[in-house]
Amino acid sequence: MALYFLSYDLRKQRDYQKLYDELNSFKATSVLESLWCFNRVNTSAKDLSTYFRTFVDSDDGLIVMECINWASYNANSTPNDLKY
């Protein structure tokens, strides 16, 4: 199982709900305001980025990163809060 972080900038039209609903279906946790983390198997950051693009507008920004080590300070939650 791999840990992924997803961050986004929703620019002109800020329709967060579609993205939030999909992140919730992944059992993701919101680490910071626009940074979420989740676990996944049998995929890649590139494939996840392509998938999550369907939940944001064409002018929005999105990055997905696979992570093997992390640290946080004063975050809303951490990967330790993920539910399996």
Side-chain angles (χ1 to χ4, degrees):
M1 186 170 300
L3 175 65
Y4 292 93
F5 283 86
L6 179 146
S7 184
Y8 56 86
D9 286 332
L10 302 187
R11 295 187 173 116
K12 293 178 186 170
Q13 183 181 4
R14 296 178 183 229
D15 180 10
Y16 293 94
Q17 198 57 53
K18 294 183 294 185
L19 181 58
Y20 289 169
D21 289 346
E22 194 57 27
L23 286 164
N24 285 324
S25 78
F26 273 54
K27 297 183 180 166
T29 188
S30 175
V31 177
L32 297 170
E33 189 172 329
S34 64
L35 179 66
W36 292 66
C37 67
F38 54 89
N39 289 306
R40 225 55 192 164
V41 295
N42 301 326
T43 192
S44 68
K46 181 179 179 180
D47 289 344
L48 288 165
S49 174
T50 299
Y51 177 76
F52 276 103
R53 270 186 240 163
T54 63
F55 300 97
V56 298
D57 296 330
S58 61
D59 64 322
D60 297 334
L62 179 77
I63 186 169
V64 177
M65 302 156 281
E66 184 175 352
C67 182
I68 58 170
N69 193 9
W70 61 271
S72 64
Y73 169 75
N74 207 18
N76 297 333
S77 67
T78 72
N80 294 335
D81 298 317
L82 289 170
K83 296 175 177 64
Y84 298 94

